[in-house]
Every structure is written in structure tokens, then in C-alpha cells.
Amino acid sequence: MRLQLGPAKPATPVREVLHSAALALLLIPATAKAQSAPTDRIDFSSLLYGEQSRTQVIEPMVRFTHLLPDGQSISAQLGIDVITGASPSGALPSGSVQTRTSASGRVITSPAGRIPLAPFRDHRIAFDGEWQKPWSRYVTSTLGGTYSREKDYQSLGLNGKFSTDLMRKLLTVTVGGGISRDTVFPVGGTPLGLSDGSIVHRGSNDKNVTNVILGASRILSRRWMVSINGTQTFERGYLTEPYKVISLMNLATGQPAGELTDKRPSTRNRSSVLFSSVYHLTDDVIYTSYRYYWDTWSVRSHTIDLKYRHALGGDTFLEPLVRYYQQTAADFFTIGLPQGAPLPDFATSDYRLGALRTITVGGTFGFHPEDIPGEWTIRAQFIRQAGNSSPPGAIGIQRNFDLSPPINTFAVVLGYSFDY
Amino acid sequence: MTRTGRQICRLIFPLALLLIAGCATVQPWDRDLLAQKQMSFNPSPMLQAVDEHIYFSKEASMGGMDAGGGGCGCN
């Protein structure tokens, strides 16, 4: 074969087309690769929660996230809680067996000297949606909506956040807020507070929650980031727990002589400040945080959280965790009210508003199997919660009982994430 | 301002100054570690959400990371 090379001819439209076609063929693999980058993600988690002799919860959740080419993302999450078991009614132990019937008609018997429990069964369905949009290289907004419904409670909420990067992206400032319009409609009607429970109204009760957040995070070095978040929450409306009771105590013997319903103020302002730090060692990462919380019910709390992510190679890691929590009692918390004495404006015996401590130990194991796509995590936690077993207000027979026995809880969360 | 409020302010101001003033500048090409997924304050949002739900139902406190509203009759 003989080739004759002549002088270059001016490009014709046909040549331009062929040239463009050849270039396009060369670019197809790169373009196809870019187009095949994951744009969707599915996260799945399932909680198995069990308190010793009390509440059991199963909570599966699934979250779908779609990434748009311009950096926006849209996500939707569905969660279902199935809750069964029993929780402390608020009543004091007695020297004899106590029997209690729940609002739904279930009966539970509490042995002598034990905290009476109230049985319950409920399920909750929750739906969350979120839209995140970057407005520029430095500004991002997030808008979300929430809806949840259970047998006696409904919540509808909106929330939003606005973040901006400053100082060459060394500092990020976030401002956000949320509102929630909740409705409480207790099974069997709403009892009058601090009554024997016989007076009820059948309507629903409103509870409005407004929440604001101001936060800042700062890169301090190549390995270290810290942040401060302050939140303020305003709750207005029906904040009482309709199923909890308060025992009337016989002043001479301490024996329960009757029960009154719970009654709490209709306003509560909550504040919290959270300090967080993330530090990268050679391969491992240390997470630490401290939160101080206070509210207008006189509850103060300290929470310390520590996690250590130990890299095991590839995407596999082991992350032990420890959490310590301590709170003071609400100013209207009481173990019981003296029989015959004038009633206070507000009172509760709900142990969650008493002085208590929670200690959590556990760990997360994360791995990425070669044969199966996606990331897996398993988190197991042991939670021990204890209050004041012998509070100063105990009189008579109550001094012989453990009025706040420790609650041991085991919780396992299985998580799975898959990009496609 | 209440005594607790003053205590909080004393705690916040030095830390806020630390956030704004900070230490050395970290150049964009030195942020390889910071760009990793695990270098986030909340690398597992779903696990975090599950934990917050557990503690919200067992304790009197709430708040911290997010600007959510109410949403649960469990407490």
C-alpha cells in the first residue's frame, strides 16, 4: 500500500463532524463513568431496645437520599416504633400487692415493696423530609418537615438551617429554627390535674414547640475541629403526662392512701450549650462532647460523651463509646404528697423529672464486606439509669423500700447504607 | 441575668473567642484528613437520631445538635 501525503487542506464541514465524532467517542467512557457515580443512597437502621422487666421497643427506619447534579439533595425518612411493656406509674410502693389497670384495660400486679408499673402498648409512625441546597460555595440552607402519629399524640413540624463558611472555610456559622404543632389526646380523656382522675374532658390538647439554634464550628488544625451549639426551646400548652399519678402518703405510716393525677406547668423554656471536638490521630479519631442543659422547671444536667474510632483497615472500624449524664430534679417533683395537706400548684412523681444519672457503655463495629455492596454498622449499648433510692422526703414504711431502683437497658442498632 | 446565665456566659465567651481567633491557618491542600467522612461531628446521623430518641424518652433534657421541634409523646 502506498500513501501519498499532500499539503493539508482546509477543514471541511464533513471533517469537522468526523473530528467531533472521534472526540466524542474518546470522551464517552469518561462521561459514562461520571454519569455512573452514585446519585442515590439508602440508609436503613433497626433498633432493638429492651429495659429489664419494663419497656421493649422495635424501631425500623429507612432513609432515601437523592443527590442532584448542582449539589442539592432531597431525602425522605420513614420510621416505625412498636412499643410494649410497662413503665413506673409514679405511685409509691405499698406494703401489700397493688393492682393497676391501664387506660386500655390491661391489668398489671405489682408485688409488695416494689414500684408500681403501668402497662402500655403503642406504635408510632414518623415521616421526615429534608431539602438541602447550596446557594454558593460558602452558603447552604436546609429545610425540613416532620410528621409523627401515635395512639394519643400527633406532631407536625417544620425546621430550617442556614450555614455560611467564613475565614477561608475555617469557620462555619449556623443559624436555624424549628416549630412543631403537637396535639395530645389521651386514651380515655384528659384528666384534670391533681385530681382523682374522675374529671375528664374528651377533647384534644395543644402543645406548641419553638426551637432556635445558633452554632459555630472551627478548624483549629489539620487534625482538629471544634464546635459550639446553643439551643433554646420554648414549649407552650399541655405538657402534663396524663397517665402518671402521685401517691397520697399517710403521714404516720408512709403507706399510700390514694392517688392524684400529674400536673405540670403549661410553659417550659429549655436551653442547652453543646461543645464538641473531633480529633484525628494517625489513623484513629477521637470524638468528645459536653452539654450543659437548664430549663425553667429547674432541671439542670451535664452530659459527657466520648467515642474512639479505631481503624482496623479498609472501611472496618471499632468504636467504643462512653456516656455520662446527670440531672437535678424539677422543682415540683415529689415522691408523694402528704394526705390531707393543701395541694401545690404543680406536682409530678415521674422519675424522669427527678434527680438521676445515666451511664452508657458500648461500641460500634463498622465493616464493608467485599462480596456485598454497602456499609454495615452494629451498635450495642448498655444503659444503666439510677435515681435517689432513699430520697429525703420518704417517711414511715417508704424508708424500707428502694424508691428508684436502677433500670438496666440493652439497645442494639443495626445499620446499613448503600449508594447506587 | 441569673447566676446560671452568668456562669454560662463566662464559659461561652472564651470558647467563642477561641473559635473566632483560632490557631494556625489550615490551607486547603492540608485538609485531606478533615475531608474524611469520619471527621464530622455527626458521621452517622441515623445512629445519632436513634440515640437522641432513646435519651429523650428516658431523661428530662434535650437539645444540642439540631433545630428540631417536638415530635414524640414519649416524654
Side-chain angles (χ1 to χ4, degrees):
Chain A
M1 186 192 290
R2 202 173 62 176
L3 285 175
Q4 186 174 356
L5 299 173
K9 294 179 181 174
T12 63
V14 175
R15 277 192 179 179
E16 279 182 0
V17 170
L18 287 172
H19 185 70
S20 301
L23 273 174
L25 280 171
L26 286 170
L27 289 171
I28 278 173
T31 311
K33 191 175 179 183
Q35 283 176 347
S36 68
T39 57
D40 297 296
R41 180 182 177 91
I42 284 187
D43 296 287
F44 173 80
S45 77
S46 187
L47 165 70
L48 297 174
Y49 171 98
E51 291 177 355
Q52 197 173 23
S53 308
R54 293 191 181 178
T55 305
Q56 276 77 47
V57 181
I58 299 173
E59 183 182 0
M61 278 201 290
V62 62
R63 184 182 188 86
F64 171 77
T65 305
H66 179 62
L67 302 176
L68 297 166
D70 57 355
Q72 294 186 64
S73 69
I74 299 170
S75 62
Q77 178 174 304
L78 176 69
I80 297 170
D81 296 3
V82 180
I83 311 152
T84 57
S87 65
S89 66
L92 285 167
S94 167
S96 56
V97 173
Q98 292 189 78
T99 303
R100 171 168 290 275
T101 306
S102 73
S104 59
R106 290 179 65 206
V107 177
I108 193 166
T109 302
S110 303
R114 296 278 185 86
I115 293 280
L117 301 176
F120 66 94
R121 178 181 294 162
D122 204 351
H123 62 272
R124 173 175 177 265
I125 184 162
F127 179 79
D128 295 7
E130 191 179 275
W131 171 45
Q132 194 173 69
K133 178 177 171 61
W135 294 93
S136 71
R137 283 182 63 202
Y138 304 100
V139 179
T140 304
S141 68
T142 306
L143 190 65
T146 61
Y147 173 77
S148 72
R149 172 96 187 188
E150 49 204 284
K151 191 163 56 181
D152 51 7
Y153 197 92
Q154 177 177 284
S155 174
L156 185 63
L158 273 177
N159 59 75
K161 272 194 299 190
F162 186 79
S163 297
T164 182
D165 295 323
L166 304 168
M167 298 166 61
R168 296 182 182 176
K169 293 200 170 186
L170 289 172
L171 177 68
T172 302
V173 176
T174 301
V175 180
I179 54 168
S180 176
R181 295 287 173 262
D182 297 2
T183 312
V184 190
F185 32 93
V187 175
T190 307
L192 185 69
L194 292 177
S195 74
D196 63 359
S198 59
I199 305 170
V200 296
H201 78 86
R202 301 287 170 187
S204 60
N205 309 276
D206 292 335
K207 174 183 166 185
N208 297 327
V209 183
T210 306
N211 182 307
V212 291
I213 183 170
L214 177 63
S217 64
R218 173 76 159 96
I219 294 173
L220 291 181
S221 77
R222 183 171 170 254
R223 299 177 178 276
W224 192 15
M225 287 197 308
V226 293
S227 76
I228 297 177
N229 279 299
T231 61
Q232 182 80 40
T233 304
F234 307 94
E235 296 180 355
R236 300 288 182 271
Y238 188 76
L239 307 180
T240 293
E241 172 60 68
Y243 309 118
K244 298 291 185 191
V245 297
I246 305 152
S247 286
L248 290 170
M249 292 185 291
N250 183 300
L251 275 172
T253 63
Q255 188 75 4
E259 289 178 358
L260 295 178
T261 53
D262 188 292
K263 187 181 180 186
R264 306 177 189 186
S266 58
T267 65
R268 187 180 192 183
N269 296 346
R270 303 167 178 259
S271 309
S272 74
V273 182
L274 173 74
F275 307 103
S276 306
S277 162
V278 186
Y279 189 84
H280 202 297
L281 299 166
T282 305
D283 295 311
D284 302 346
V285 182
I286 303 174
Y287 306 90
T288 53
S289 73
Y290 166 74
R291 181 186 68 183
Y292 181 67
Y293 166 95
W294 68 104
D295 67 26
T296 51
W297 289 2
S298 297
V299 176
R300 305 277 182 272
S301 75
H302 302 273
T303 312
I304 298 169
D305 214 318
L306 299 173
K307 297 189 186 82
Y308 184 92
R309 181 183 173 117
H310 176 54
L312 296 171
D315 294 326
T316 307
F317 67 91
L318 185 64
E319 187 179 280
L321 66 91
V322 180
R323 179 182 184 270
Y324 177 78
Y325 172 87
Q326 183 172 14
Q327 76 177 41
T328 61
D331 49 15
F332 53 92
F333 175 81
T334 178
I335 59 162
L337 293 170
Q339 188 183 25
L343 294 177
D345 292 335
F346 306 105
T348 184
S349 294
D350 187 342
Y351 76 97
R352 297 171 299 182
L353 285 171
L356 57 83
R357 290 180 306 280
T358 311
I359 295 172
T360 305
V361 292
T364 307
F365 179 61
F367 58 103
H368 187 167
E370 287 183 8
D371 304 334
I372 308 169
E375 302 163 16
W376 296 78
T377 50
I378 299 173
R379 174 175 288 181
Q381 296 181 99
F382 174 73
I383 305 166
R384 185 176 173 87
Q385 194 168 42
N388 191 350
S389 296
S390 305
I395 54 175
I397 193 173
Q398 299 301 332
R399 291 185 185 141
N400 303 329
F401 303 142
D402 184 349
L403 297 182
S404 185
I407 305 167
N408 295 325
T409 305
F410 198 68
V412 178
V413 187
L414 176 67
Y416 174 64
S417 298
F418 174 52
D419 294 313
Y420 62 99
Chain B
M1 187 182 285
T2 63
R3 187 180 161 196
T4 308
R6 284 196 298 272
Q7 287 173 344
I8 297 302
C9 287
R10 285 192 198 114
L11 197 63
I12 287 175
F13 279 135
L15 286 160
L17 283 174
L18 175 75
L19 279 176
I20 294 166
C23 305
T25 296
V26 181
Q27 300 295 346
W29 53 85
D30 281 333
R31 298 186 189 180
D32 53 332
L33 297 176
L34 295 167
Q36 293 176 1
K37 184 188 167 191
Q38 60 265 32
M39 282 301 285
S40 158
F41 292 105
N42 185 12
S44 307
M46 282 192 86
L47 291 181
Q48 181 77 21
V50 170
D51 284 351
E52 283 183 4
H53 196 185
I54 289 174
Y55 294 123
F56 174 71
S57 70
K58 295 173 73 73
E59 297 166 348
S61 308
M62 65 178 284
M65 295 293 285
D66 264 323
C72 182
C74 49
N75 196 348

